[in-house]
Amino acid sequence: MGITLIINLVVSWYENREGEKLKSTILVADARHTRSDVYVSIAVILGFIAIQMGFSIVDPIIAVIIAVLIAKMGIQIIKSSSSILLDTAPLDEETIRSIVSKVPEVKECHRIRSRGPPSHIFVDLHVTLESSSSLSKAYEVAHIVEDKLKSSIPEIEDVVVHVEGESDNF
Ligand SMILES: [Zn+2]
């Protein structure tokens, strides 16, 4: 039990650190799961000591505490993963707007949306150009916007840019 506890402490710390670094929901979730194993190990060791000392009532109490710990950890994991599944925007509109507005040809941008997990973000947005812009210019600007977003935020997987002229904003 003691060895398991030490191994789990190290695994949990490492998983959490790498999970944060790689922005991996699964790694962070499993780090929490491993940490719950640590608490369970501590509870079992304490329970074992108590039973050895003759307090047999401690056994069912520890079992309940373990169940509560596991449930609590499960709820935490569901909460953090469900925000991704429920399509909560991983990037806020202003962050995207401030990057896109640095492209000189872009007059304005709207309908900014982002979705997906923090490590694989999908962005779509409308950008307005001067009405006189040619089709080839529009394609060029769409690519510049896409490249600029991807290079500023490496977690962005793909960008869909809808280009429109100043007069036909919709
Ligand atoms: Zn539009």
Side-chain angles (χ1 to χ4, degrees):
M1 288 302 307
I3 293 164
T4 314
L5 196 151
I6 292 161
I7 291 171
N8 278 339
L9 263 178
V10 175
V11 169
S12 162
W13 167 80
Y14 183 73
E15 261 187 326
N16 193 55
R17 197 191 66 177
E18 292 302 299
E20 299 274 345
K21 206 195 283 171
L22 301 166
K23 298 200 166 59
S24 161
T25 318
I26 296 171
L27 273 182
V28 173
D30 198 55
R32 287 207 189 117
H33 154 244
T34 311
R35 208 181 314 144
S36 77
D37 282 349
V38 170
Y39 299 143
V40 170
S41 299
I42 293 169
V44 171
I45 290 168
L46 291 177
F48 188 69
I49 293 168
I51 291 159
Q52 289 290 302
M53 288 166 72
F55 302 104
S56 54
I57 185 69
V58 169
D59 189 64
I61 295 171
I62 299 257
V64 170
I65 293 170
I66 290 171
V68 170
L69 282 175
I70 293 171
K72 205 176 142 238
M73 215 55 74
I75 290 164
Q76 270 183 24
I77 292 169
I78 291 168
K79 266 191 192 161
S80 64
S81 318
S82 60
S83 66
I84 292 164
L85 294 173
L86 289 171
D87 242 12
T88 309
L91 291 173
D92 85 290
E93 249 184 80
E94 275 319 301
T95 311
I96 298 170
R97 193 185 302 277
S98 68
I99 296 165
V100 174
S101 62
K102 283 179 193 134
V103 179
E105 292 88 345
V106 173
K107 291 273 160 201
E108 186 268 321
C109 60
H110 56 278
R111 283 229 213 161
I112 299 166
R113 297 187 303 177
S114 63
R115 67 203 143 78
S119 53
H120 293 83
I121 304 172
F122 292 86
V123 174
D124 65 275
L125 76 162
H126 291 196
V127 298
T128 310
L129 312 183
E130 265 177 40
S131 299
S132 57
S133 306
S134 65
L135 190 57
S136 61
K137 186 78 190 168
Y139 276 126
E140 191 194 318
V141 174
H143 277 290
I144 294 170
V145 167
E146 186 181 341
D147 291 343
K148 199 143 197 135
L149 280 170
K150 281 182 175 169
S151 60
S152 308
I153 305 167
E155 290 79 15
I156 293 178
E157 187 76 23
D158 198 22
V159 181
V160 175
V161 185
H162 304 256
V163 182
E164 51 204 34
E166 263 178 306
S167 52
D168 50 46
N169 254 9
F170 58 89

